Every structure is written in structure tokens, then in C-alpha cells.
Amino acid sequence: MGQSVPRVEDEALLRGRGRFLDDLNPVPGAAQVAFVRSPFAHARIDSVDVKAAAEAPGVMGVVTGAQLAAVCAPMGAVIPCDVPYYPLAVGSARYAGEPVAAVAARDRYRAEDAGELVVVDYSPLEPLLDPLVAAGVGAAYIGAPSGAVVSDRTFNYGDPDAAFEAADLVLQRRFRFPRWSGAPVECACVVADWNPADRSLTAWANFQGPFTLHTVAAAALGLPASKLRLITPPDSGGSFGVKASVVSYIVALGAVSRILGIPVRWTEDRSEHLASSSMATERITDLTAGFSAEGRLLALRYDTVEDVGAYLRAPEPASLYRMHGTLTGAYRVEHLAVRNRVVLTNRCPTGLNRGFGGPQMYLPLERTMALAAARLELDPAELARRNLLRADEFPHRTASGGLYDSGDYHACLDDALAAIGYEQIRREQAAARSGGPAENCRAVADGRADGGSVLGGVRGVDGVVGCEGGGSTLGGVQGVGRSNGRLLGIGLACVVEPSVSNMGYVSLAEPPERRRVGLPKSGNSEAAGVAMNPLGGVTVRLSTVPQGQGHRTVAAQVVADELGLRPDQVDVLSGFDTHSDAWTVSSGNYSSRFSGIGAAAASEAARRLADRLRSIAAEHLECAPSDVVLRDGRASVAGHPAGGVSLRRLAGQAHWNPESLPADVEVGLAVTAFVSAPNLQPPNDNDEVVAAAAHGFVVDIAVVEVDPHTAELSVLDYVTVHDAGTLLHPRLADGQVLGSFAHGFGPATGERVVYDKEGTLLTGSFMDYLCPTAAEVPPLRILHRETPSPFTPLGAKGLGEGNTMSAPSALANAVCDALGIDDIELPMSAPGIWEAMRVKGLLRSE
């Protein structure tokens, strides 16, 4: 553990031998399904005529929403909602792209062709698209008698009114974070086989969890949980939260299989994914912050409108409440007020997306810190320093109940400032703004200063004035000399990254008196199994449903450490089966929970197996079990490594001669361990909650330039410092940071889901939805500090989502700093920056 051993996943993937669900044929002869989807954002469905489609060649059946509703209940919601959600539209279509009917045929081509023969008689209705309109008093939403607001809650911690009254500076701004998609390489895939003999369903799906949704799916299908068998494939081409929504298609395909009496399968195409899979929520936040004259952040007031789309689909409003314990960010704030409104609009339902809820929360908070620094005439780094929690304040209880486990925030900030060369950059920026020559140029990383170039998609600039040799290299990115006329900006973001989320935090969407009626929800647990065969081979089974992160590699490491083996002597199985594998409702792949709790379960199972092996070996070695050391595939007495007995022999004895085992040793060499994260109680009556078991810390500093002629944005340097506790595998950790940064860079600079005034999707392909590629994502300099968590068994915290939360804020701060403006709209594309520069009078002609 802690070493960057080679990933065991890569060999098969690089050779094209990955086994994704679309590669598999678990039920030979399964019919292919294509969905007929609504072209309208809101319309009453007057009739659906499937006669011509059902008679088309190769078609095996057509299922409408009304037929599905006859065998399925609405899918369960986290909180009561007057708009029932079925996987096929029933009565009305509420967003463009909503499935209206499912056609099953011998192949996808025939299914698609037959889908065009389905005649749906629509009566278009006025769509509701603006979340602010939806949140307004008396806002009308046809079909929802109680209106578009499905949840409206207020929270008060401390005495925010008095704190604002005492503040020397009060800032208030509105921030809008737009929708964006996870866009994994592999889209959704489901195979469903209904068994009428025992009224059960077996479904194969690249579903990621959380497995609370297994219960939601079983209930919608009218099945006991034991009658829904869910199997995930060995490989999955990413998810980033989006594949949690596959659960609705599990129900849809299950119902189709049941109604038609045949096995069916469906693979989502990219157009379907962008239109109707799942998206991050759009959030509009009015944030008010009060500061003392010295820069102390005294109080925060959030007034948030969260657009969850056409339906409140479980686990939403998780995106809104996941960060509730972290609303004060990395800062020492005692007074907090919150109003949260969850609204429905006629857009695709939302769900989990990498860092869910974090980017939407940190953009207002970190932009406000930058604005306050300017008003108080403080450097943003100095304002952060005055408010960051100190190392001696951990564990720290936040105003809203969060429990931060460990960290040294000031040291991380110092690391980032030193790495970026902060004081020098500020001097160079001041020189550029004053119109004078640059003081000097830096050359870091590879030491080059050889003029402009393009490296990693970040534009260098030729023809530099005032620096011998041309541009300077910033962290390996070809930068520029500092000359006059440059629009340079520096942006800072300090964020706390929660991981291993409490299953109960989302119940904050209901008031305490309503929560008391139901069963309390809390905690986060994970299971893993470790078994040794008669020849000493070790197999590990995980229920964390990996989606490409490298769970198999890390699990092999931690198990090998406990058993005294090499990682390549441990086989880890990544496929999952709810009928044969151990799991809990909190199992799955979300909230960066593997390093904190998933790897810990594998380690604990291995430790228990190791203890059993020590007890067997103790009789051979004539010593106490506690004196037995497992190393290099052998058991030996501590201090005498030359002797001992092989693990293979011990395994053979346990399997072939169990009567010879010591009386106190349990028969068998298979162990399943369940590990629970501590401190994750249900929300209390004061609406305080520990929303996550572990809390990492991230400091980002971005250096950008905006071209005064074209409004093109160039990232000259970017440093990110992480404290994620104990690093189990440093290279995989860096890979997760890079991926997380790409997910934050996208909505900051190009990604946005856009609808027209009729609710028609305008970003339905990668021609219009600008997902960044490797050529556009700038290089990143990654640094780490390790302050182990006292709450997780291995001291590890999650780090796969932090930069998704921090990058939009750091980049927005940098662009606003470069242009000298207070507000910027995301994504910061060239047209948007151009308009901001035009208003500011910064555009220049040749």
C-alpha cells in the first residue's frame, strides 16, 4: 500500500479484451429495444397507435406507457412529489426525449424503423423552463397540483442576523451554475430476462449504484428485493455518476420483458444519452456574506433554487444536500442561514454527476471570497489565510453539523503559492497592467524559454517583448514573457472535498417532524470477500462496482499486504451479482468512497483470513499465533524468516484435512467483512448532519491570459494541492485528480446543456455539446500532503471529485481577475468573454 504498482486493469483494456456489457450475450436471442421519444418538452399524450409498428417485419412487440403502468408502480422518490415518475411517459410527456414507447425487434435496425411507425397524438402544452419562474409564488406547472416547488426548507445555525448586523462589509450576488453532462465513453446498457415461473427478474446492467436504488427498482416492479437479481459486467467505460440513472431503464426493460414474455436488451446511443440519461442540476444561488473590516468571514446566507428537471428522480435532491455539512467550505464560520427550494421544470431529470453538488456550491462561495478581497483591498490568498481552519482545530464541527476529520489547510495553501511562484506572478501582472516591461521571466519545470508553442492544448504566445529568449515555461506549459498590454489573471480556490457520504443526509429535504415518521437513515457500509483456494490462490470480490478507477489494483495491494503476498498473486473480481456477492444498500460507486471504505473492507477481510492462517501455522511452528509473520508467501516465526511453512501448504491442510485444524479455528478459508464508516448518524432535530465520513482539502491556483483581440482564454499554469489523507496508490491518485480536473474544466470553459424557448435540446451531439478532449485540457501540476484521517480504517479520503468542484471557481476567479470584472457566466467561452470585454472596453483592434 502506498506504492504505484502497475494497474492490473490495463493489460486487457490495451489489448482490446475488456468485457463490457454490450460485448456480452448473457441471454442468447434477446430482442433489441429502441425507444420512441417525445419531441415536445411538455405535451399531453392523447393516444399511442402501435398497430403498424407491431406488424412490421422482425418486430416482437411494442409497449406503451399505459401498458407499463399496468404492471409497475411509480418509481419511489426521496420526498413526496405530486408528479409520479414512470420509465415510460404516462398521460403526458414532460421533457423532450422522454421515452413514450418501447419497440422490441430481432435487431436494433428493425426496432428503430418500427419506432418511426408508432403514431403518438400529442397536445402540446406550455413548457416551464426557467427555474426562477418555477420557484416563484404561484408558479404554474400543469399536472402538478401543488406547483413546481417540491421542497422548500429553511435552516438557521448560530445567529446569522446578528452577525450580518455586526459585519463591516456585506456582499450579495446571484450565481447561476448551468447544467452539464458526465458524458462517459460507454453509455448505458441493460439486458432483462423475466422469469414467469417464479415471478423474478434478472437484469444485467452497467449500473453503478448506490444500491439503495435496487430497492427502488424492485418496488417499482412490484417485486420483493430477493426477486430482482442485478448483475454488473467486469468492465465499465466510466460513469461519473450518470449511470446511477440506469436504474430507470432496468425497470423499463424489466417491464417490457415481462409484458412481452421475452428477454430484451438495449444499448444507449450518444444522442439518447445527451438528451435523456441524466444531467447535473442547474442551480441558482443568491449568496450573502458578511465580513469584518479585518477580513474575517462572519456569516453566510444561501438562497438556492435547484432545478431537478421534469421528475424528482431518486436519489435527488442528493445534489443539493450532499454538501450541506460543508456549506461553510474550508473557513471558520459560526453563523449560517440557508433556504433550499427544489423545483421541477420541463427538462431532462437530473442525477448524480462527478462532484455532485460541489461545483454548484463552491462557485458562489469562492467567487464571493475573491470579491470580498477586492473590496477589503486584500490579496485573495491573504483573505483565505485569515479564514482557513487551522491544523490544531481538527476534528472540526461545522455550523451545519459536518465533522471535518483532519488537515493542514494553511500548509496546503503555502505549497500551492510556492509552486506557482505567486508573488512573482503578481508582480508580473502589476507590470503588465501598468503598461511597463516585465520584471523578468521564470523558467520552471523543464527550464525552457524558447518562444511560443502549443503544449497540451494550452496556447503559447510568440513575439514576446521584454523577456530574453521569448516565453517562459510555467510548470511544463509554454507560457509567455510579461509585456505590456497583457490581460493576465490569477484565480484561487480552496475547497473541502467530502467523501464516503452518509446515506441519511438527503432526508434533510424533509422537516424533522416528517423524518420521525419513517425509519431513520444513516451510515455508509461496504462489504468485500477474500478467499484462498487449496493451492493458495487468493480471490477478492468487491461490491464497489468499479467504473475504471483502478479498484482491482488497489484491492490487490491491500489484500497482499495483509497476507504477505505480491499483488500479482491476488485476483480481484470486479463484476457484481446481488444474488451471490455480499453488499449493503450503500454499496456502489459514488462519493469517492472506495479508498475510505471499500478498500478498508477488502483489507479487513484479508486481515481476518490472515489471522486464521496464523492460527493454523502456529501449530506447525510451535509458537503463539501472534508470533507468526506472513511474508513472501510463507508463515514464519517473528525474527526467524528462514524457516516456516508455505501458505500453499496451510491452504491445502484447511481444504483437504479440516479435522486437523486447531479447535478454535473456523473451517474454511473464505471471509466476508463488512466495514462501516463512523460518525454518520441520521440528521438530528436541529437539522445538523455529518454528511460525509471523510473530508479532503484542495487548493487550486490558475494563471490565465485573455487575448485582447480574440477573447481567447489560455491557461498558462495550473497548480493543485491535495490532502486526501493516506494515498493508497499515488499514480492512481494523480489519475483521479486529472480526470476530476477535466470534469471541472469542461463546464468552466465549454460544456453546457442548452434548450431553446420551446424546450428543445440544442446540444444533442458532440458537435454542439463541447466536451473537452485531451487537446483542450491544459496540463496540471499536482502536489500532495498526507494528513491521515482518524475516522477511516486506512486513513484514506476520497480525491476523485475535488477538482471538479474547485476548477470552475479557480478559473472563474482568474478570468474575472484578468478582466477586472465582478461577474462572469459559465461556461467561459470566447463569445461570453468577448461580451464581458466589450462591456468593460477591453477589446482591441489590430
Side-chain angles (χ1 to χ4, degrees), residues 453-462 478 480 485-489 703-716 745 748-749 775-776 778 811 814-815 818-819 824 828-838 842-844 846:
S453 65
V454 177
L455 292 181
V458 179
R459 185 178 55 86
V461 178
D462 295 317
Q478 181 60 42
V480 294
R486 303 281 306 289
L487 297 176
L488 301 177
V703 181
V704 306
E705 178 185 5
V706 179
D707 190 305
H709 304 287
T710 67
E712 181 182 5
L713 172 65
S714 299
V715 179
L716 303 181
F745 183 79
T749 60
E776 286 82 43
L811 290 166
V815 171
L819 303 182
I824 190 74
M828 297 177 293
S829 59
I833 295 176
W834 177 284
E835 179 61 19
M837 294 174 65
R838 185 190 65 78
L842 296 175
L843 287 171
R844 298 181 192 143
E846 295 293 340

Side-chain angles (χ1 to χ4, degrees), residues 590-617:
Y590 61 98
S591 186
S592 295
R593 61 192 296 277
F594 175 74
S595 58
I597 198 75
S603 179
E604 176 62 16
R607 184 192 65 77
R608 295 180 190 177
L609 178 58
D611 287 345
R612 197 173 299 177
L613 291 168
R614 290 189 184 95
S615 294
I616 300 172

Side-chain angles (χ1 to χ4, degrees), residues 1-73:
M1 191 175 72
Q3 299 182 41
S4 296
V5 301
R7 275 175 42 117
V8 300
E9 294 86 352
D10 291 350
E11 182 74 17
L13 295 175
L14 291 171
R15 294 182 180 276
R17 298 187 61 82
R19 291 297 175 261
F20 304 87
L21 185 49
D22 197 52
D23 298 317
L24 306 179
N25 190 25
V27 186
Q32 295 275 356
V33 168
F35 288 100
V36 178
R37 298 180 182 272
S38 169
F40 298 102
H42 197 194
R44 186 173 62 249
I45 299 174
D46 295 321
S47 65
V48 182
D49 185 353
V50 303
K51 186 175 185 297
E55 294 175 352
V59 172
M60 304 175 75
V62 184
V63 174
T64 66
Q67 290 174 288
L68 180 141
V71 300
C72 287

Side-chain angles (χ1 to χ4, degrees), residues 621 627 629 631 634-645:
L621 302 174
D627 291 332
V629 175
R631 183 184 295 115
R634 299 184 65 80
S636 60
V637 179
H640 302 278
V645 59

